[in-house]
Amino acid sequence: AQSVTQPDIHITVSEGASLELRCNYSYGATPYLFWYVQSPGQGLQLLLKYFSGDTLVQGIKGFEAEFKRSQSSFNLRKPSVHWSDAAEYFCAVAPGGGALTFGSGTRLQVQP
Amino acid sequence: EAGVTQFPSHSVIEKGQTVTLRCDPISGHDNLYWYRRVMGKEIKFLLHFVKESKQDESGMPNNRFLAERTGGTYSTLKVQPAELEDSGVYFCASSQDPPGRSPLHFGNGTRLTVT
């Protein structure tokens, strides 16, 4: 069965600093990979997804993620964090159209 | 386009009572999913409808949980009788196609507290 690990439960960065959120997955083949964000009181919003092709994918709100097969990773990055990026971020994997399996989430705090 | 709507947003019930959660997916979305997040842990899959049929219910924790999607539109998730460990946030999501092909749209969730 597939699994997703987000090793950082909580991260604090200063506004304007760069950000990288880690995600490692376990799956026999190349899965579909996703990053979602949840702001307080809101549902989960899709930031970006990887299915195949270019391993660097661009998403909304200035986020990008890079798929590295050799490391089974799909880390999320942003060059300059804004205060509005404070939220909880979830990495997820879907094995070829099946239901999503989520990581436990990383809560991002942004300091002024 | 209206998003995925869940009702109620919060529910506080006593152990042993019954609660019914409702999800209205985006119109035209055949795929409807229920997920649950318990106490800050990972978001766990409960089940997946395609129209009115249960495609995958492998994540349902036990027979106290009953999900229905009559007519292939809205869905309900009933917990009867509720136990303390059922507390958490229940998310509904919908998509036109399975998540590998089209985005999954999530509702804001129902926060269930069992006391």
Side-chain angles (χ1 to χ4, degrees):
Chain A
Q2 66 274 10
S3 65
V4 179
T5 302
Q6 293 182 246
D8 305 305
I9 297 172
H10 185 222
I11 283 182
T12 300
V13 300
S14 298
E15 190 168 17
S18 63
L19 171 70
E20 182 169 28
L21 302 182
R22 296 182 290 165
C23 172
N24 291 92
Y25 68 91
S26 173
Y27 181 61
T30 299
Y32 299 151
L33 296 159
F34 306 82
W35 275 98
Y36 282 84
V37 60
Q38 185 186 18
S39 298
Q42 303 294 312
L44 284 81
Q45 181 183 20
L46 179 66
L47 283 176
L48 48 79
K49 59 185 184 290
Y50 172 78
F51 292 164
S52 63
D54 192 347
T55 56
L56 184 64
V57 294
Q58 302 296 321
I60 62 170
K61 303 185 181 186
F63 285 92
E64 66 177 27
E66 185 172 13
F67 168 60
K68 293 186 177 180
R69 184 192 306 275
S70 62
Q71 299 176 17
S72 296
S73 69
F74 189 57
N75 294 348
L76 182 71
R77 300 193 295 248
K78 186 169 185 178
S80 177
V81 170
H82 187 261
W83 64 266
S84 60
D85 294 324
E88 193 160 17
Y89 292 79
F90 295 91
C91 183
V93 59
L100 295 178
T101 296
F102 285 90
S104 53
T106 298
R107 185 169 297 277
L108 174 66
Q109 187 175 354
V110 180
Q111 287 182 334
Chain B
E1 155 183 281
V4 176
T5 306
Q6 291 186 247
F7 182 83
S9 57
H10 294 82
S11 179
V12 180
I13 61 172
E14 293 183 352
K15 176 182 173 180
Q17 289 185 323
T18 297
V19 63
T20 301
L21 313 181
R22 173 170 169 145
C23 169
D24 286 77
I26 293 173
S27 177
H29 282 192
D30 288 339
N31 292 272
L32 186 149
Y33 303 80
W34 284 98
Y35 287 85
R36 175 174 74 168
R37 191 180 192 201
V38 174
M39 291 191 63
K41 295 186 178 179
E42 67 271 22
I43 300 168
K44 285 199 170 181
F45 167 77
L46 296 178
L47 88 158
H48 170 205
F49 284 101
V50 177
K51 296 184 179 179
E52 67 274 10
S53 299
K54 292 177 184 176
Q55 183 78 7
D56 180 356
E57 53 183 331
S58 61
M60 294 289 265
N62 51 61
N63 58 10
R64 295 186 293 103
F65 289 75
L66 175 64
E68 295 180 321
R69 191 182 184 196
T70 306
T73 55
Y74 71 92
S75 174
T76 58
L77 181 63
K78 180 189 289 188
V79 185
Q80 179 182 29
E83 298 290 343
L84 297 179
E85 63 265 26
D86 300 332
S87 297
V89 181
Y90 290 76
F91 291 103
C92 176
S94 73
S95 66
Q96 273 188 314
D97 301 302
R101 293 187 175 85
S102 61
L104 211 56
H105 299 266
F106 280 82
N108 290 349
T110 293
R111 182 174 295 277
L112 174 64
T113 303
V114 183
T115 62

